[in-house]
Every structure is written in structure tokens, then in C-alpha cells.
Amino acid sequence: MTEAAIYVQGEKSYWLAHVPVLPGCVASGTTREEAVANARRAFGAYRELLETRGVSMEHWKDLDSATFTVRDLPPDRVAPEDLGPLQEHELRDFLHRYEASRSALISLVRGLSPGELERKPTETTWSVREALEHVMETEVTLLSRLERWPDDPFNTLQAVHRLLFQRFIVMEPADTAIDHHFGGRRWTTRKVMRRLLEHEFEHLGQIKETLAALGANRPPE
């Protein structure tokens, strides 16, 4: 096995320490040193979380995070462990870890009252609801990184189109009557549908103006 390392990135009062030898293990801190120390502890905590939910930790059981070297994350934010073709077992392992992590998250928040979801420990920290929204929005963004943009922009647009189309095709009756708050704003099913169409039309016009300003000749619609 390659020598295990902790890769650090950050500035000022926010630092992240990644432990890619066990994908998913990460910790933060207000200083570089604090982030590294937290990452060493997080390695054991993350390993325990996965193991208690049925993910085999045989591959990592003999690793001691106290011995991990510390390195700067490369400028492109890609660790050496992020490179190379995926083996089939890595996809299975990822899905097992993802399911275990999501199970832990759902167990943690299930049954919380609306007040508990909205309450903030301090003015500068997120509420549970805000943290959950951040998780969901970031996962959608990260998923889009699997598309070959900008080398293959049209396939990327089509991939997003397929995701959207599938979501509306499988819509349950309760989904058609959504009326809730998300990201601090009120949303209904009709509003989401309207904004999807509006947003596409708005930027269709923007792109037309850009092409016209560049003198690009486009075929009539």
C-alpha cells in the first residue's frame, strides 16, 4: 500500500485535512495544525462509523493515523490517490460507504421537530436544516462533475435533462402538492416548474445576445 498521507488545504482560519487512503475521511480546523490533529482522530471515528453499519474495514484495520505523513494538497486539489482508472471493486466500495454514511445521517436527524431543525447554536453557525440543504445542493453539484464539461457540453446538458425528466416522470402524488421552505425561500411544485422553464428561457436569451455580440451566425430556430 502507498504510504498513507493527510493532505491539507486552506488559509486564514479555515483549513481542511483530507485522508484519501480511506475515502470520505476529512476534518477541518481553524489552523493547519488543528485540522491535521482532527483528521487523525476522524480516521478512527469514520472507520468506526462504517464498521458499525456493515462496511468491512479489514483493509484499514492495521493503519495508525498517528503515523500518516502530512502534505499540502496540490494546487489542482487532486490528491495522488484520486488518479488512475477505477477498479470495479472501488465503485462497490464507494456505494457501500455512501449508503452507510447516509444511513448514519438519516438516523441522526430523523424525528427532529421543526424547531430543532431551525434552531442555531450561535448566530454564525448553520441550523440542522441549513446543513442538510448544503449536503443536498453540494451532492448535485459534485454529481455534475462527472460530466465531460466543457469538452462535451451538449452531452452534459442532456445528462442534466435526463435527471430532471426522470424526477418528474416518477413524481408521487404528494410531490405534486409540495409547499415548503428551502434555502430560506418558499417553494411549491408549480413554482419549481415555473422557475425551471424561466431560468432556461432567461439564459437562452442571454446566450443569443452573447452570440450576436460576437457576430456568430446561427441557424434560425
Side-chain angles (χ1 to χ4, degrees):
M1 178 184 290
T2 305
E3 182 184 27
I6 296 172
Y7 294 90
V8 189
Q9 66 176 110
E11 58 183 12
K12 297 182 180 178
S13 61
Y14 185 70
W15 293 80
L16 275 178
H18 309 265
V19 191
V21 70
L22 178 55
C25 182
V26 67
S28 62
T30 57
T31 65
R32 177 187 175 92
E33 293 72 22
E34 183 181 60
V36 170
N38 289 342
R40 296 192 193 280
R41 287 190 290 270
F43 181 78
Y46 188 54
R47 188 168 55 184
E48 181 181 356
L49 180 152
L50 295 175
E51 194 165 30
T52 57
R53 285 167 174 77
V55 179
S56 173
M57 288 289 102
E58 183 67 23
H59 190 63
W60 296 274
K61 67 181 179 67
D62 295 327
L63 291 180
D64 180 1
S65 62
T67 67
F68 294 175
T69 59
V70 179
R71 303 170 185 166
D72 289 331
L73 191 67
D76 61 4
R77 299 188 179 184
V78 176
E81 292 85 346
D82 295 329
L83 301 173
L86 279 177
Q87 303 298 315
E88 185 177 347
H89 75 86
E90 291 182 90
L91 291 174
R92 292 196 304 269
D93 292 346
F94 161 74
L95 291 173
H96 289 160
R97 286 192 289 267
Y98 182 72
E99 285 296 295
S101 179
R102 181 50 47 89
S103 172
L105 179 59
I106 295 298
S107 296
L108 186 63
V109 301
R110 179 180 282 120
L112 291 178
S113 68
E116 289 170 322
L117 287 170
E118 297 293 341
R119 194 172 301 128
K120 295 182 179 183
T122 70
E123 282 300 314
T124 58
T125 55
W126 284 345
S127 66
V128 173
R129 176 186 59 77
E130 288 171 325
L132 291 174
E133 288 177 0
H134 175 72
V135 169
M136 290 184 284
E137 291 171 351
T138 300
E139 286 184 355
V140 172
T141 299
L142 289 173
L143 191 60
S144 73
R145 301 303 188 259
L146 292 176
E147 304 302 332
R148 292 177 175 83
W149 183 275
D151 297 331
D152 199 355
F154 305 113
N155 277 350
T156 301
L157 285 171
Q158 287 301 97
V160 174
H161 172 266
R162 287 193 297 271
L163 288 173
L164 189 152
F165 213 79
Q166 184 180 33
R167 178 66 180 90
F168 280 89
I169 285 177
V170 301
M171 189 168 276
E172 299 288 338
D175 294 334
T176 65
I178 286 172
D179 187 346
H180 62 185
H181 284 76
F182 189 98
R185 297 181 181 180
R186 185 181 178 187
W187 294 93
T188 68
T189 307
R190 281 196 176 89
K191 179 181 176 181
V192 171
M193 294 163 62
R194 172 174 61 79
R195 284 299 297 137
L196 282 167
L197 295 172
E198 287 176 349
H199 192 252
E200 185 108 348
F201 183 60
E202 176 187 1
H203 289 286
L204 175 64
Q206 177 195 36
I207 292 171
K208 282 182 178 179
E209 292 176 1
T210 300
L211 292 173
L214 294 173
N217 294 319
R218 303 302 303 156
E221 298 174 13

Short mmCIF file of all heavy atoms in Angstrom, two decimals, residues 1-48:
data_model
loop_
_atom_site.label_atom_id
_atom_site.label_comp_id
_atom_site.label_asym_id
_atom_site.label_seq_id
_atom_site.Cartn_x
_atom_site.Cartn_y
_atom_site.Cartn_z
N MET A 1 0.84 -1.20 0.00
CA MET A 1 0.00 0.00 0.00
C MET A 1 0.87 1.25 0.00
O MET A 1 1.91 1.30 0.64
CB MET A 1 -0.91 0.00 1.24
CG MET A 1 -1.79 1.25 1.35
SD MET A 1 -2.75 1.27 2.89
CE MET A 1 -3.89 -0.05 2.55
N THR A 2 0.43 2.28 -0.75
CA THR A 2 1.14 3.55 -0.75
C THR A 2 1.13 4.15 0.65
O THR A 2 0.18 3.98 1.40
CB THR A 2 0.46 4.52 -1.74
OG1 THR A 2 0.39 3.91 -3.02
CG2 THR A 2 1.23 5.81 -1.83
N GLU A 3 2.21 4.85 0.98
CA GLU A 3 2.29 5.48 2.29
C GLU A 3 1.09 6.39 2.51
O GLU A 3 0.77 7.25 1.69
CB GLU A 3 3.57 6.31 2.38
CG GLU A 3 3.76 6.98 3.73
CD GLU A 3 4.98 7.87 3.76
OE1 GLU A 3 5.38 8.37 2.68
OE2 GLU A 3 5.54 8.06 4.85
N ALA A 4 0.39 6.18 3.61
CA ALA A 4 -0.81 6.96 3.90
C ALA A 4 -0.42 8.39 4.25
O ALA A 4 0.57 8.63 4.94
CB ALA A 4 -1.59 6.34 5.05
N ALA A 5 -1.22 9.33 3.76
CA ALA A 5 -0.90 10.74 3.99
C ALA A 5 -2.17 11.53 4.27
O ALA A 5 -3.28 11.14 3.88
CB ALA A 5 -0.18 11.32 2.78
N ILE A 6 -1.99 12.64 4.95
CA ILE A 6 -3.04 13.63 5.17
C ILE A 6 -2.71 14.83 4.28
O ILE A 6 -1.60 15.36 4.35
CB ILE A 6 -3.11 14.06 6.64
CG1 ILE A 6 -3.48 12.86 7.53
CG2 ILE A 6 -4.10 15.19 6.83
CD1 ILE A 6 -3.38 13.15 9.02
N TYR A 7 -3.65 15.23 3.45
CA TYR A 7 -3.43 16.35 2.54
C TYR A 7 -4.21 17.56 3.05
O TYR A 7 -5.41 17.48 3.32
CB TYR A 7 -3.88 15.99 1.12
CG TYR A 7 -3.04 14.91 0.50
CD1 TYR A 7 -3.38 13.57 0.65
CD2 TYR A 7 -1.90 15.23 -0.23
CE1 TYR A 7 -2.60 12.57 0.09
CE2 TYR A 7 -1.11 14.23 -0.80
CZ TYR A 7 -1.47 12.91 -0.63
OH TYR A 7 -0.69 11.92 -1.19
N VAL A 8 -3.51 18.68 3.17
CA VAL A 8 -4.08 19.86 3.81
C VAL A 8 -4.25 20.99 2.80
O VAL A 8 -3.39 21.22 1.94
CB VAL A 8 -3.20 20.33 4.98
CG1 VAL A 8 -3.91 21.42 5.78
CG2 VAL A 8 -2.83 19.16 5.88
N GLN A 9 -5.36 21.70 2.92
CA GLN A 9 -5.60 22.90 2.13
C GLN A 9 -6.30 23.92 3.01
O GLN A 9 -6.99 23.56 3.97
CB GLN A 9 -6.48 22.61 0.92
CG GLN A 9 -7.90 22.20 1.28
CD GLN A 9 -8.81 22.00 0.09
OE1 GLN A 9 -9.19 20.88 -0.21
NE2 GLN A 9 -9.16 23.09 -0.58
N GLY A 10 -6.12 25.20 2.72
CA GLY A 10 -6.83 26.22 3.47
C GLY A 10 -6.05 27.50 3.57
O GLY A 10 -4.96 27.65 3.01
N GLU A 11 -6.63 28.43 4.29
CA GLU A 11 -5.99 29.72 4.53
C GLU A 11 -6.70 30.40 5.69
O GLU A 11 -7.83 30.04 6.05
CB GLU A 11 -6.04 30.61 3.29
CG GLU A 11 -7.44 30.88 2.79
CD GLU A 11 -7.46 31.70 1.52
OE1 GLU A 11 -6.39 31.88 0.89
OE2 GLU A 11 -8.54 32.18 1.16
N LYS A 12 -6.03 31.35 6.27
CA LYS A 12 -6.58 32.13 7.38
C LYS A 12 -7.13 31.22 8.47
O LYS A 12 -6.40 30.46 9.07
CB LYS A 12 -7.63 33.12 6.86
CG LYS A 12 -7.05 34.16 5.90
CD LYS A 12 -8.09 35.14 5.43
CE LYS A 12 -7.48 36.17 4.48
NZ LYS A 12 -8.49 37.12 3.97
N SER A 13 -8.45 31.25 8.70
CA SER A 13 -9.00 30.49 9.83
C SER A 13 -9.84 29.29 9.41
O SER A 13 -10.63 28.78 10.20
CB SER A 13 -9.86 31.42 10.70
OG SER A 13 -10.94 31.94 9.95
N TYR A 14 -9.67 28.84 8.16
CA TYR A 14 -10.41 27.64 7.74
C TYR A 14 -9.48 26.71 6.97
O TYR A 14 -8.95 27.07 5.91
CB TYR A 14 -11.61 28.00 6.87
CG TYR A 14 -12.44 26.78 6.53
CD1 TYR A 14 -13.20 26.13 7.51
CD2 TYR A 14 -12.46 26.25 5.24
CE1 TYR A 14 -13.95 25.01 7.21
CE2 TYR A 14 -13.21 25.13 4.93
CZ TYR A 14 -13.95 24.51 5.92
OH TYR A 14 -14.69 23.40 5.63
N TRP A 15 -9.29 25.51 7.52
CA TRP A 15 -8.40 24.52 6.92
C TRP A 15 -9.12 23.17 6.83
O TRP A 15 -9.89 22.81 7.72
CB TRP A 15 -7.13 24.37 7.76
CG TRP A 15 -6.28 25.59 7.73
CD1 TRP A 15 -6.45 26.74 8.46
CD2 TRP A 15 -5.13 25.81 6.91
NE1 TRP A 15 -5.49 27.66 8.15
CE2 TRP A 15 -4.65 27.12 7.20
CE3 TRP A 15 -4.45 25.04 5.97
CZ2 TRP A 15 -3.54 27.66 6.57
CZ3 TRP A 15 -3.34 25.57 5.34
CH2 TRP A 15 -2.89 26.87 5.64
N LEU A 16 -8.85 22.46 5.74
CA LEU A 16 -9.38 21.12 5.55
C LEU A 16 -8.23 20.13 5.46
O LEU A 16 -7.21 20.42 4.83
CB LEU A 16 -10.21 21.03 4.26
CG LEU A 16 -11.68 21.44 4.32
CD1 LEU A 16 -12.29 21.33 2.92
CD2 LEU A 16 -12.46 20.58 5.30
N ALA A 17 -8.42 18.98 6.09
CA ALA A 17 -7.42 17.91 6.04
C ALA A 17 -8.10 16.65 5.52
O ALA A 17 -9.03 16.14 6.14
CB ALA A 17 -6.82 17.68 7.42
N HIS A 18 -7.64 16.18 4.36
CA HIS A 18 -8.22 15.02 3.70
C HIS A 18 -7.36 13.79 3.97
O HIS A 18 -6.13 13.87 4.00
CB HIS A 18 -8.30 15.24 2.19
CG HIS A 18 -8.94 16.53 1.79
ND1 HIS A 18 -10.27 16.64 1.48
CD2 HIS A 18 -8.42 17.78 1.66
CE1 HIS A 18 -10.55 17.90 1.16
NE2 HIS A 18 -9.44 18.61 1.27
N VAL A 19 -8.03 12.63 4.12
CA VAL A 19 -7.32 11.36 4.33
C VAL A 19 -7.77 10.39 3.23
O VAL A 19 -8.57 9.49 3.47
CB VAL A 19 -7.60 10.78 5.73
CG1 VAL A 19 -6.64 9.61 6.02
CG2 VAL A 19 -7.47 11.84 6.81
N PRO A 20 -7.27 10.56 2.01
CA PRO A 20 -7.80 9.78 0.89
C PRO A 20 -7.50 8.29 0.94
O PRO A 20 -8.08 7.52 0.17
CB PRO A 20 -7.14 10.44 -0.34
CG PRO A 20 -5.96 11.16 0.19
CD PRO A 20 -6.31 11.58 1.58
N VAL A 21 -6.60 7.86 1.83
CA VAL A 21 -6.37 6.43 1.96
C VAL A 21 -7.66 5.73 2.42
O VAL A 21 -7.88 4.55 2.13
CB VAL A 21 -5.21 6.13 2.94
CG1 VAL A 21 -5.58 6.45 4.37
CG2 VAL A 21 -4.76 4.68 2.82
N LEU A 22 -8.53 6.47 3.12
CA LEU A 22 -9.87 5.99 3.46
C LEU A 22 -10.85 7.03 2.92
O LEU A 22 -11.21 7.98 3.60
CB LEU A 22 -10.03 5.85 4.98
CG LEU A 22 -11.42 5.40 5.48
CD1 LEU A 22 -11.84 4.10 4.82
CD2 LEU A 22 -11.43 5.26 7.00
N PRO A 23 -11.26 6.88 1.66
CA PRO A 23 -12.10 7.90 1.02
C PRO A 23 -13.33 8.25 1.86
O PRO A 23 -14.07 7.37 2.30
CB PRO A 23 -12.50 7.24 -0.31
CG PRO A 23 -11.39 6.29 -0.59
CD PRO A 23 -10.98 5.75 0.75
N GLY A 24 -13.50 9.54 2.07
CA GLY A 24 -14.61 10.03 2.88
C GLY A 24 -14.16 10.64 4.18
O GLY A 24 -14.89 11.42 4.80
N CYS A 25 -12.94 10.31 4.60
CA CYS A 25 -12.43 10.82 5.87
C CYS A 25 -11.85 12.22 5.67
O CYS A 25 -10.93 12.41 4.88
CB CYS A 25 -11.37 9.88 6.43
SG CYS A 25 -10.74 10.41 8.04
N VAL A 26 -12.40 13.18 6.39
CA VAL A 26 -11.96 14.57 6.27
C VAL A 26 -12.23 15.27 7.60
O VAL A 26 -13.10 14.85 8.37
CB VAL A 26 -12.70 15.28 5.11
CG1 VAL A 26 -14.18 15.42 5.43
CG2 VAL A 26 -12.08 16.62 4.78
N ALA A 27 -11.48 16.31 7.87
CA ALA A 27 -11.70 17.10 9.08
C ALA A 27 -11.29 18.54 8.80
O ALA A 27 -10.51 18.81 7.87
CB ALA A 27 -10.91 16.54 10.26
N SER A 28 -11.80 19.44 9.60
CA SER A 28 -11.47 20.85 9.44
C SER A 28 -10.90 21.41 10.73
O SER A 28 -10.95 20.77 11.78
CB SER A 28 -12.72 21.65 9.03
OG SER A 28 -13.71 21.57 10.04
N GLY A 29 -10.38 22.62 10.64
CA GLY A 29 -9.83 23.28 11.81
C GLY A 29 -9.58 24.74 11.52
O GLY A 29 -9.56 25.16 10.36
N THR A 30 -9.40 25.51 12.56
CA THR A 30 -9.14 26.94 12.38
C THR A 30 -7.68 27.21 12.05
O THR A 30 -7.33 28.32 11.63
CB THR A 30 -9.53 27.73 13.64
OG1 THR A 30 -8.81 27.19 14.76
CG2 THR A 30 -11.03 27.60 13.91
N THR A 31 -6.82 26.20 12.24
CA THR A 31 -5.42 26.29 11.85
C THR A 31 -5.04 25.01 11.13
O THR A 31 -5.75 24.00 11.21
CB THR A 31 -4.49 26.46 13.06
OG1 THR A 31 -4.55 25.26 13.86
CG2 THR A 31 -4.89 27.66 13.90
N ARG A 32 -3.91 25.04 10.44
CA ARG A 32 -3.42 23.85 9.76
C ARG A 32 -3.20 22.71 10.76
O ARG A 32 -3.60 21.57 10.53
CB ARG A 32 -2.12 24.20 9.03
CG ARG A 32 -1.45 23.03 8.33
CD ARG A 32 -0.08 23.45 7.79
NE ARG A 32 0.65 22.32 7.23
CZ ARG A 32 0.61 21.97 5.96
NH1 ARG A 32 -0.12 22.66 5.12
NH2 ARG A 32 1.30 20.93 5.53
N GLU A 33 -2.58 23.04 11.88
CA GLU A 33 -2.26 22.03 12.88
C GLU A 33 -3.52 21.41 13.48
O GLU A 33 -3.59 20.20 13.71
CB GLU A 33 -1.39 22.63 13.99
CG GLU A 33 0.00 23.06 13.55
CD GLU A 33 0.00 24.31 12.67
OE1 GLU A 33 -0.99 25.09 12.75
OE2 GLU A 33 0.97 24.51 11.92
N GLU A 34 -4.51 22.26 13.73
CA GLU A 34 -5.76 21.75 14.31
C GLU A 34 -6.47 20.83 13.32
O GLU A 34 -7.00 19.78 13.71
CB GLU A 34 -6.67 22.92 14.67
CG GLU A 34 -7.98 22.49 15.34
CD GLU A 34 -8.87 23.66 15.68
OE1 GLU A 34 -9.25 24.41 14.74
OE2 GLU A 34 -9.16 23.86 16.87
N ALA A 35 -6.48 21.20 12.05
CA ALA A 35 -7.13 20.36 11.04
C ALA A 35 -6.45 19.00 10.95
O ALA A 35 -7.12 17.96 10.84
CB ALA A 35 -7.10 21.07 9.68
N VAL A 36 -5.12 18.98 10.99
CA VAL A 36 -4.39 17.71 10.92
C VAL A 36 -4.70 16.85 12.14
O VAL A 36 -4.96 15.64 12.03
CB VAL A 36 -2.88 17.97 10.80
CG1 VAL A 36 -2.09 16.67 10.98
CG2 VAL A 36 -2.56 18.60 9.45
N ALA A 37 -4.67 17.46 13.32
CA ALA A 37 -4.98 16.71 14.54
C ALA A 37 -6.39 16.15 14.50
O ALA A 37 -6.64 15.00 14.89
CB ALA A 37 -4.79 17.61 15.76
N ASN A 38 -7.32 16.95 14.01
CA ASN A 38 -8.71 16.49 13.91
C ASN A 38 -8.84 15.36 12.89
O ASN A 38 -9.65 14.44 13.07
CB ASN A 38 -9.62 17.65 13.52
CG ASN A 38 -9.80 18.65 14.65
OD1 ASN A 38 -9.54 18.33 15.81
ND2 ASN A 38 -10.24 19.85 14.32
N ALA A 39 -8.05 15.42 11.82
CA ALA A 39 -8.10 14.37 10.81
C ALA A 39 -7.59 13.04 11.36
O ALA A 39 -8.12 11.97 11.03
CB ALA A 39 -7.28 14.78 9.59
N ARG A 40 -6.57 13.10 12.20
CA ARG A 40 -6.06 11.85 12.80
C ARG A 40 -7.15 11.21 13.67
O ARG A 40 -7.32 9.98 13.66
CB ARG A 40 -4.81 12.15 13.62
CG ARG A 40 -3.63 12.66 12.80
CD ARG A 40 -2.34 12.66 13.61
NE ARG A 40 -1.28 13.42 12.96
CZ ARG A 40 -0.52 12.97 11.96
NH1 ARG A 40 -0.71 11.77 11.48
NH2 ARG A 40 0.44 13.75 11.45
N ARG A 41 -7.88 12.03 14.41
CA ARG A 41 -8.98 11.50 15.22
C ARG A 41 -10.15 11.04 14.34
O ARG A 41 -10.79 10.02 14.62
CB ARG A 41 -9.45 12.55 16.22
CG ARG A 41 -8.49 12.79 17.38
CD ARG A 41 -9.13 13.65 18.45
NE ARG A 41 -9.31 15.02 18.00
CZ ARG A 41 -8.39 15.98 18.14
NH1 ARG A 41 -7.24 15.71 18.72
NH2 ARG A 41 -8.63 17.21 17.72
N ALA A 42 -10.41 11.80 13.29
CA ALA A 42 -11.53 11.48 12.41
C ALA A 42 -11.34 10.13 11.72
O ALA A 42 -12.32 9.44 11.41
CB ALA A 42 -11.71 12.58 11.36
N PHE A 43 -10.09 9.75 11.48
CA PHE A 43 -9.83 8.47 10.82
C PHE A 43 -10.44 7.33 11.63
O PHE A 43 -11.12 6.45 11.08
CB PHE A 43 -8.32 8.26 10.66
CG PHE A 43 -7.96 6.97 9.98
CD1 PHE A 43 -8.06 6.85 8.60
CD2 PHE A 43 -7.53 5.88 10.72
CE1 PHE A 43 -7.74 5.66 7.97
CE2 PHE A 43 -7.21 4.68 10.09
CZ PHE A 43 -7.31 4.57 8.71
N GLY A 44 -10.23 7.34 12.93
CA GLY A 44 -10.81 6.30 13.78
C GLY A 44 -12.32 6.40 13.86
O GLY A 44 -13.02 5.39 13.83
N ALA A 45 -12.84 7.63 13.94
CA ALA A 45 -14.28 7.82 14.05
C ALA A 45 -15.00 7.38 12.77
O ALA A 45 -16.06 6.74 12.83
CB ALA A 45 -14.59 9.28 14.35
N TYR A 46 -14.41 7.72 11.63
CA TYR A 46 -15.04 7.34 10.35
C TYR A 46 -14.97 5.84 10.14
O TYR A 46 -15.93 5.21 9.68
CB TYR A 46 -14.35 8.08 9.21
CG TYR A 46 -15.04 7.92 7.87
CD1 TYR A 46 -16.38 8.23 7.71
CD2 TYR A 46 -14.33 7.48 6.76
CE1 TYR A 46 -17.01 8.09 6.48
CE2 TYR A 46 -14.95 7.34 5.53
CZ TYR A 46 -16.28 7.66 5.39
OH TYR A 46 -16.90 7.51 4.17
N ARG A 47 -13.86 5.26 10.50
CA ARG A 47 -13.71 3.80 10.39
C ARG A 47 -14.75 3.10 11.26
O ARG A 47 -15.37 2.12 10.84
CB ARG A 47 -12.29 3.40 10.80
CG ARG A 47 -11.94 1.95 10.54
CD ARG A 47 -10.45 1.71 10.71
NE ARG A 47 -9.96 2.14 12.02
CZ ARG A 47 -8.67 2.11 12.36
NH1 ARG A 47 -7.76 1.68 11.51
NH2 ARG A 47 -8.30 2.50 13.56
N GLU A 48 -14.97 3.61 12.46
CA GLU A 48 -15.97 3.02 13.36
C GLU A 48 -17.38 3.19 12.81
O GLU A 48 -18.20 2.27 12.87
CB GLU A 48 -15.87 3.67 14.74
CG GLU A 48 -16.85 3.11 15.76
CD GLU A 48 -16.74 3.79 17.11
OE1 GLU A 48 -15.84 4.64 17.28
OE2 GLU A 48 -17.57 3.48 17.99
#
